[in-house]
Amino acid sequence: MIHRISVLLSLCLTLFPFWTGSGVPTSPQGTDMIKKEAFGTSPDGKPVDLYTLKNKHGMEVRAMTYGGAIVSIRVPDRKGHFDDVALGFDKADDYTAKVPYFGAIIGRYGNRIANGKFTLDGKEYTLPKNDGPNSLHGGNKGFDKIVWEAEPFEKPDEVGVIFKHTSPDGDEGYPGNLKMTVTYMLTDKNELIFEYHATADKATPVNLTNHTYFNLAGDGQRDILGHELMLNADSFTPVDKTLIPTGKIVSVKGTPFDFTKLTVIGARIDQKDEQLILGHGYDHNFVLNRKDKGLTLAARVYEPTTGRVMEVSTTEPGVQFYSGNFLDGTLTGKQGHVYKLRYGFCLETQHYPDSPNEPSFPSTTLRAGQTYHSTTVYKFSTR
Ligand code: BGC
């Protein structure tokens, strides 16, 4: 037995020379907290790198340069057992097929723009229609489909990667060169922080977000309907049959959209509610209750079997709660797990969908000389 353990240990040390495998850093310099490795190639043949970030509690986040996508998030359950709570694939090449934005940076405009058109300063712009009549998540080649430049960094209480990209004037129909940095930080408080900065040389709509699918039960092996969700939102933006907001902001009170208290996701999802039918479940933007423009709690999710809790805070005015309604068992993810209906959910912090065509919604226009800045924190714990 002891022999077997020591063989296993030396195998671990050979395979992971920087880590003990227990999550405890071995190097006094702390250089064991971040690792870079090759992760295949993008569809246009560019090499893709994978960064592994680890904190002092053993929480581990992997992100790749293709789409800046989060590939995995390993967090403990209430007994200290680590599982991966993000859906994804084992190698970059698997992300190049038709994948529903697993883990990726979304832009230039996260969510839908009606009829692939908007008018800005009197000029009409046309975007690719990649979602029925609408333009979704930045068009045919959004920021999820490019290889980002990456620069890792380490600070005393956090490790991270800065992803950089400049989207050229006219990219997918959008005006102006848009220069961006998206910083991922893993802190010693078990927080995964996304910080977005952008500047443009012409006015353009910008709505950046992250599209990680979570399953807090771990390893995407069952649906997320038993998770409990709280959304700090007294109202939401109902949609038409193409999932474009009607322009109204409606109270959630007395509807299956009331998540103001922790509620089981599956409790009302099959009700004959018009909005649930249009969304094929939850696929709606919630209007966050906020006192100021600072970081505000947007959502809390609790998974009762493992005790895992995820809290989402953001500077954004809205969050899209998407219950994985278009996952249909055709994708086989990490470790051969088949992602079936509602095996993952997304909480995409954002400005409201179709804001460029909806003057009553908070503006998404970034003008030359201004700086776009947005922060979202996903904090993990157990109870
Ligand atoms: C949208 C869904 C869409 C999914 C992509 C979400 O952000 O709200 O309607 O299907 O992204 O697969």
Side-chain angles (χ1 to χ4, degrees):
M1 182 68 181
I2 292 180
H3 174 70
R4 264 200 225 155
I5 291 172
S6 67
V7 168
L8 206 66
L9 201 68
S10 62
L11 191 72
C12 277
L13 287 171
T14 321
L15 289 175
F16 308 105
F18 301 114
W19 294 336
T20 58
S22 65
V24 181
T26 53
S27 151
Q29 288 82 34
T31 47
D32 50 341
M33 310 309 268
I34 189 155
K35 187 173 74 170
K36 176 184 168 185
E37 65 198 295
F39 197 56
T41 48
S42 70
D44 43 5
K46 292 192 184 135
V48 175
D49 293 325
L50 179 72
Y51 286 87
T52 304
L53 314 174
K54 206 153 185 171
N55 76 5
K56 74 173 184 202
H57 305 297
M59 178 173 162
E60 184 202 90
V61 173
R62 294 190 303 154
M64 65 169 165
T65 51
Y66 183 64
I70 294 289
V71 171
S72 62
I73 303 175
R74 293 184 67 81
V75 288
D77 67 7
R78 61 162 80 88
K79 291 185 181 145
H81 177 81
F82 282 75
D83 280 310
D84 183 357
V85 296
L87 304 193
F89 298 101
D90 289 319
K91 48 186 194 317
D93 316 42
D94 297 334
Y95 286 82
T96 58
K98 205 170 165 10
V99 165
Y101 308 94
F102 283 171
I105 298 172
I106 305 296
R108 208 176 274 206
Y109 197 92
N111 219 310
R112 294 174 173 81
I113 296 186
N115 303 311
K117 272 194 174 82
F118 66 92
T119 301
L120 184 56
D121 296 338
K123 190 168 176 221
E124 188 176 85
Y125 293 90
T126 305
L127 310 169
K129 294 179 181 173
N130 59 336
D131 186 67
N134 304 318
S135 191
L136 174 69
H137 293 336
N140 292 327
K141 193 174 181 191
F143 300 157
D144 59 299
K145 294 183 186 67
I146 54 129
V147 177
W148 291 68
E149 278 173 51
E151 202 180 287
F153 67 89
E154 243 182 277
K155 291 185 186 167
D157 306 321
E158 64 190 40
V159 281
V161 186
I162 306 172
F163 288 111
K164 293 182 188 173
H165 178 65
T166 299
S167 160
D169 190 3
D171 193 10
E172 295 294 305
Y174 289 93
N177 293 294
L178 181 73
K179 199 172 169 190
M180 292 168 286
T181 62
V182 186
T183 306
Y184 292 15
M185 285 164 270
L186 171 63
T187 74
D188 282 342
K189 291 186 200 148
N190 282 3
E191 296 161 322
L192 173 59
I193 305 179
F194 296 96
E195 211 171 295
Y196 306 84
H197 280 100
T199 52
D201 56 4
K202 272 187 203 164
T204 176
V206 182
N207 195 24
L208 303 177
T209 191
N210 177 274
H211 210 294
T212 297
Y213 288 67
F214 297 96
N215 186 327
L216 300 185
D219 296 331
Q221 295 191 77
R222 52 182 142 125
D223 68 47
I224 48 82
L225 296 176
H227 287 50
E228 295 172 23
L229 172 69
M230 186 286 294
L231 290 170
N232 181 21
D234 291 342
S235 48
F236 76 116
T237 51
V239 289
D240 68 13
K241 63 174 188 313
T242 70
L243 298 183
I244 291 292
T246 60
K248 295 200 182 97
I249 292 184
V250 168
S251 168
V252 296
K253 220 175 166 126
T255 77
F257 291 81
D258 188 348
F259 282 98
T260 51
K261 293 196 185 75
L262 265 188
T263 306
V264 175
I265 291 176
R268 301 162 299 181
I269 202 165
D270 292 323
Q271 283 184 10
K272 303 244 170 309
D273 172 273
E274 189 201 11
Q275 282 299 313
L276 283 175
I277 294 168
L278 290 172
H280 307 276
Y282 296 102
D283 195 354
H284 295 78
N285 170 65
F286 286 75
V287 174
L288 296 174
N289 304 329
R290 55 167 62 251
K291 291 193 190 71
D292 54 43
K293 291 190 166 174
L295 264 184
T296 296
L297 183 69
R300 180 176 291 123
V301 191
Y302 171 63
E303 202 291 301
T305 65
T306 58
R308 290 196 179 96
V309 176
M310 181 175 82
E311 282 178 332
V312 186
S313 306
T314 187
T315 55
E316 285 298 311
V319 65
Q320 181 88 3
F321 168 44
Y322 171 53
S323 52
N325 313 314
F326 298 114
L327 295 175
D328 58 3
T330 51
L331 293 172
T332 301
K334 286 175 280 191
Q335 298 171 2
H337 296 147
V338 177
Y339 298 143
K340 301 186 195 153
L341 181 69
R342 301 186 178 134
Y343 268 37
F345 67 90
C346 302
L347 287 167
E348 301 151 63
T349 55
Q350 59 175 12
H351 272 56
Y352 313 161
D354 200 31
S355 297
N357 293 309
E358 197 51 73
S360 66
F361 287 174
S363 171
T364 49
T365 305
L366 174 69
R367 296 192 171 275
Q370 296 178 332
T371 302
Y372 173 97
H373 185 201
S374 166
T375 304
T376 294
V377 180
Y378 295 86
K379 183 173 169 50
F380 296 87
S381 59
T382 57
R383 74 166 160 85

